[in-house]
């Protein structure tokens, strides 16, 4: 099972009640990981409205997760 | 100076603009985004900005670089605030120097638009009422719509609203069963169309597995289905799409031994195969089972559609293509290439013809070939009549071409067969009708009904005459009258021209 770390921003940080966490997951992809964490933390944002970054780069939701990956779920942005 | 930066302290536009520009820069454009006191109808007292900094810096630099290259700007930079801001504060600043004002305005506009869209920066609004919310998040956090309950009925209201369909038509579809041979590009479109329409039972026959090269034109399958049997993957997808219908997948290669059982019990057969051998198998099996078959094929940017109606005495595939072993003459998708929408269009037309058949809608293709060119949008309906000499299975079900017995008034045969049998054919229609639709044979006499009955033609006792009109009504009446006058050598072509495939 890959061991990954998560950083939370904005809406997700407040929902999760933390800025970061590290966990072992049975999820094979960021999409599966999001489903797992959405259930645990009550993230109600549908995945199709989000982006995901793996190791500080935008990534495909269905790429494989590897040990040590750092994942950030990116809610709809509102810069400016 | 970096092209994109964050600032924790108030932005000073004059200081940011100072290093931009040179003697060559005839234009300088800047944009300031400021905190407003109202958003979405609510009074705002301040904002908190937060960013995923590593990714935001990389993405911001990329945006500024792209805009400079695209518009030919000389220099550009963007600075975005983070932390707590008050109403009126500058939240973001963009400056662009270019040779002319046009490039400067355009690049500046693109940078701010893209920053707002792509860079992971979020803002939390604090409202005068005392609460706060993350912009773009709080609203979309509510699921847009409750998913339908698992046992909710599939909603056909938009099609039952059609006056020709209604609840009765929907019920007909629910009772109907259609089998689709081949779940490729044509098959995906046919299956989606029939499943969405609520055809109650859908058979899917395909021996193949999903290949990565299929996906561009076969949207029932996803990347994860590669390697799975198509029939199973399609059935799974379609039962999720419309749980109220019955799917019957069969991983089966259609051949002479399996064709009859594959289509047994279905009301309509749809051929979505990609080779002539299978199309003939489908054609022949449909002929034997006396059920309609809707056939289509595609070649590069073109397609053909044909509806075979053994149940209505129509022509068959072998009437047009007597030689069944034509595989390899025209090439398939692998060899010739195909653009996804081409089988999608033809497959949708097949689904349409199936629904027209099941619902008894007008305009059904019959004894004709629809030819479509999707490059120039040319579309033709070409007559594809039954060939009296067809060596195929349609001859078995064809009306026996027996000679006219003396006691019969009507005869039923093709005009070509009548000519071969030595009938003198008399076209008793009016001249304008003959001009509109000439008889498909030569050597006939054209003599309108009135003139015939006035005795303008001397009927020779040694010959046999066949009278032909549009629907067989006038010719039958004329034959009756002539028989009553003692002419035993006159017959009427039953059903007239309208009943003839040729």
């Amino acid at each position: 099972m890959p061991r990954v770390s998560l950083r939370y921003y904005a809406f997700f940080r407040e929902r999760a009640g933390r800025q970061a966490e590290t966990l072992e997951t049975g999820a094979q992809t960021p999409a599966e990981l999001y489903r797992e964490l959405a259930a645990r933390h009550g993230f109600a944002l549908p995945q199709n409205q989000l982006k995901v970054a793996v190791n500080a780069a935008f990534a495909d939701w269905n790429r494989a997760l590897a040990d040590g990956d750092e994942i950030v779920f990116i809610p709809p942005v509102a810069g400016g | 100076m970096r092209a994109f930066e964050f600032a924790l302290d108030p932005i000073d536009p004059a200081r940011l603009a100072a290093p931009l520009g040179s003697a060559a820069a005839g234009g300088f454009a800047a944009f300031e985004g400021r905190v407003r006191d109202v958003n979405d109808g609510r009074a705002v007292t301040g904002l908190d900005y937060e960013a995923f900094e590593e990714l935001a810096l990389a993405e911001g630099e990329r945006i500024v670089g792209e805009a400079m290259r695209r518009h030919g700007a000389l220099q550009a930079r963007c600075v975005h605030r983070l932390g707590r801001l008050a109403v009126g504060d500058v939240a973001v600043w963009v400056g662009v120097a270019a040779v002319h004002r046009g490039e400067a305005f355009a690049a500046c506009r693109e940078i701010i638009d893209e920053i707002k869209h792509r860079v992971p920066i979020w803002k939390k609004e604090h409202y005068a009422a005392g609460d706060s919310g993350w912009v773009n998040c709080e609203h979309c956090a509510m699921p847009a719509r409750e998913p339908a309950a698992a046992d909710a009925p599939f909603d056909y209201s938009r099609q039952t609203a059609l006056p020709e369909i209604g609840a009765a038509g929907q019920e007909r579809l629910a009772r109907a069963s259609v089998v689709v041979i081949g779940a490729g590009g044509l098959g995906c479109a046919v299956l989606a169309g029939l499943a969405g329409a609520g055809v109650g039972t859908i058979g899917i026959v395909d021996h193949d597995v999903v290949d990565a090269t299929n996906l561009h034109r076969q949207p029932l399958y996803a990347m994860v289905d590669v390697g799975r049997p198509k029939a199973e993957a399609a059935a799974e997808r379609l039962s999720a799409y419309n749980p109220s219908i019955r799917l019957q997948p069969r991983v089966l290669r259609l051949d002479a031994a399996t064709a009859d059982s594959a289509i047994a019990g279905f009301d309509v057969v749809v051929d979505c195969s990609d080779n002539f051998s299978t199309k003939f198998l489908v054609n022949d099996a449909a002929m034997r089972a006396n059920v309609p078959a809707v056939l289509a094929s595609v070649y590069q940017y073109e397609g053909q559609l044909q509806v075979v109606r053994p149940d209505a005495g129509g022509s068959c595939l072998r009437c047009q293509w007597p030689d069944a072993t034509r595989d390899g003459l025209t090439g398939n998708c692998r060899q010739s290439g195909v653009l996804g929408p081409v089988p999608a269009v033809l497959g949708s037309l097949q689904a349409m013809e199936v629904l027209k058949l099941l619902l008894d809608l007008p305009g059904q293709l019959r004894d004709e070939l629809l030819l479509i060119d999707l490059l120039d949008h040319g579309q033709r309906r070409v007559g594809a009549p039954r060939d009296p000499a067809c060596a195929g299975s349609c001859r078995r079900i064809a009306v026996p071409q027996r000679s006219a017995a003396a006691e019969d008034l009507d005869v039923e045969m093709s005009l070509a067969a009548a000519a071969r049998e030595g009938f003198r054919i008399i076209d008793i229609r009016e001249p304008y009708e003959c001009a509109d639709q000439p008889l498909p044979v030569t050597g006939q006499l054209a003599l309108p009904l009135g003139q015939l009955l006035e005795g303008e033609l001397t009927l020779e006792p040694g010959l046999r005459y066949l009278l032909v009109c549009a629907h067989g009504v006038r010719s039958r009446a004329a034959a009756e009258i002539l028989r009553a006058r003692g002419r035993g050598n006159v017959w009427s072509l039953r059903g007239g021209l309208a009943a003839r495939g040729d």
Side-chain angles (χ1 to χ4, degrees):
Chain A
M1 296 219 294
R3 189 171 178 79
V4 299
S5 57
L6 286 122
R7 274 200 287 158
Y8 295 119
Y9 290 92
F11 173 81
F12 286 127
R13 178 172 45 72
E14 294 189 348
R15 250 336 129 86
R18 68 195 79 188
Q19 287 190 314
E21 65 180 322
T22 298
L23 50 89
E24 276 189 3
T25 176
Q28 301 293 313
T29 63
E32 289 176 25
L33 182 64
Y34 182 71
R35 278 196 289 278
E36 183 182 317
L37 292 169
R40 183 184 309 166
H41 295 309
F43 299 153
L45 283 170
Q47 186 209 301
N48 62 12
Q49 298 190 11
L50 307 178
K51 288 185 172 220
V52 65
V54 178
N55 303 326
F58 287 117
D60 191 287
W61 280 103
N62 293 312
R63 67 173 270 166
L65 286 180
D67 223 32
D69 276 349
E70 187 184 69
I71 316 295
V72 180
F73 300 123
I74 300 179
V77 300
Chain B
M1 178 188 97
R2 294 184 57 162
F4 182 84
E5 291 171 274
F6 284 112
L8 297 173
D9 302 317
I11 284 174
D12 176 355
R15 194 178 55 78
L16 294 177
L20 294 181
S22 65
F28 173 80
F31 170 80
E32 288 175 21
R34 296 180 180 171
V35 178
R36 281 193 301 156
D37 66 351
V38 173
N39 189 28
D40 241 357
R42 300 202 64 190
V44 173
T45 55
L47 294 179
D48 274 314
Y49 277 104
E50 179 170 332
F52 175 10
E53 291 193 37
E54 293 140 87
L55 185 55
L57 288 170
E59 195 68 9
E61 293 235 3
R62 199 170 297 133
I63 288 167
V64 174
E66 283 168 9
M68 285 177 60
R69 276 192 301 281
R70 192 174 351 263
H71 301 287
L74 298 172
Q75 286 172 297
R77 74 188 295 199
C78 174
V79 178
H80 203 296
R81 273 294 300 278
L82 292 181
R84 174 62 63 95
L85 279 76
V87 171
D89 284 353
V90 177
V92 57
W93 183 90
V94 183
V96 178
V99 177
H100 304 105
R101 65 185 183 281
E103 302 96 88
F105 276 124
C108 186
R109 174 72 192 243
E110 177 176 321
I111 290 169
I112 186 60
D113 287 349
E114 290 295 305
I115 295 286
K116 286 185 76 96
H117 184 61
R118 280 163 55 186
V119 178
I121 300 169
W122 303 279
K123 71 179 166 197
K124 186 177 201 175
E125 288 178 337
H126 300 282
Y127 304 109
D131 56 337
S132 60
W134 289 99
V135 175
N136 290 355
C137 290
E138 305 292 348
H139 296 305
C140 53
M142 314 297 165
R145 194 175 222 183
E146 287 297 319
D151 55 351
F154 198 77
D155 190 332
Y156 300 108
S157 57
R158 295 301 186 268
Q159 87 185 21
T160 51
L162 288 163
E164 296 81 6
I165 299 181
Q170 198 59 52
E171 182 56 35
R172 275 168 94 158
L173 294 179
R175 282 198 307 269
S177 62
V178 177
V179 62
V180 178
I181 311 295
L186 291 166
C188 281
V190 171
L191 289 165
L194 299 182
V199 170
T201 303
I202 301 178
I204 308 172
V205 178
D206 198 305
H207 73 282
D208 217 349
V209 295
V210 178
D211 187 86
T213 60
N214 299 151
L215 299 181
H216 81 116
R217 64 187 188 283
Q218 300 180 15
L220 282 186
Y221 313 117
M223 296 281 279
V224 294
D225 293 320
V226 170
R228 290 185 69 194
K230 284 184 172 180
E232 286 174 9
E236 186 179 300
R237 172 82 190 273
L238 292 167
S239 39
Y241 167 51
N242 184 353
S244 71
I245 59 172
R246 208 148 52 99
L247 279 308
Q248 298 182 341
R250 287 186 73 183
V251 182
L252 174 78
R253 182 189 289 275
L254 205 78
D255 58 27
T258 59
D260 288 324
S261 81
I263 71 162
F266 288 96
D267 301 327
V268 181
V269 186
V270 188
D271 168 74
C272 299
S273 68
D274 62 354
N275 61 83
F276 261 103
S277 326
T278 307
K279 289 184 192 301
F280 282 108
L281 284 170
V282 172
N283 173 74
D284 295 353
M287 285 287 157
R288 282 190 295 273
N290 198 32
V291 294
V294 179
L295 302 106
S297 51
V298 295
Y299 178 70
Q300 294 190 332
Y301 305 102
E302 295 166 42
Q304 297 189 359
L305 183 67
Q306 187 172 1
V307 181
V308 164
R309 294 291 305 276
D311 57 314
S315 65
C316 84
L317 193 59
R318 290 183 193 272
C319 292
Q320 274 70 57
W321 309 105
D323 176 8
T325 58
R326 302 175 71 88
D327 281 346
L329 289 186
T330 52
N332 55 29
C333 294
R334 178 168 53 83
Q335 294 150 347
S336 312
V338 64
L339 208 52
V342 177
V345 167
L346 270 293
S348 294
L349 290 173
Q350 284 181 288
M352 188 65 201
E353 285 305 307
V354 171
L355 296 177
K356 281 156 75 174
L357 267 167
L358 296 175
L359 294 164
D360 210 13
L361 296 178
Q364 297 175 22
L365 278 185
R366 198 170 137 188
D367 287 355
E368 56 197 324
L369 201 57
L370 180 67
L371 305 174
I372 292 186
D373 182 331
L374 289 172
L375 287 182
D376 64 11
H377 291 296
Q379 184 165 331
R380 290 173 64 88
R381 289 172 83 150
V382 180
R386 202 163 80 199
D387 177 3
C390 177
S393 43
C394 72
R395 198 174 59 170
R396 281 182 354 95
I397 62 97
V399 178
Q401 304 208 341
R402 64 189 174 90
S403 236
E407 64 273 19
D408 290 344
L409 196 57
D410 285 320
V411 297
E412 189 157 2
M413 62 174 61
S414 74
L415 284 168
R420 273 199 306 275
E421 289 204 10
F423 277 105
R424 295 298 303 275
I425 296 168
I426 304 177
D427 187 347
I428 64 162
R429 298 174 300 160
E430 299 303 312
Y432 70 89
E433 296 179 86
C434 301
D436 267 3
Q437 189 190 10
L439 284 198
V441 288
T442 54
Q444 80 278 16
L445 292 165
L447 193 65
L449 177 64
Q451 296 175 30
L452 174 71
L453 295 181
E454 281 163 20
E456 288 196 12
L457 176 73
T458 308
L459 299 173
E460 300 186 23
L463 294 177
R464 296 191 301 164
Y465 294 92
L466 182 63
L467 309 182
V468 180
C469 68
H471 293 96
V473 177
R474 282 172 291 173
S475 59
R476 186 183 162 90
E480 244 171 356
I481 292 168
L482 293 172
R483 290 273 183 107
R485 293 180 188 170
R487 303 293 184 182
N489 56 342
V490 180
W491 286 265
S492 160
L493 184 67
R494 179 180 308 214
L497 269 183
R500 306 272 80 73
D502 56 353

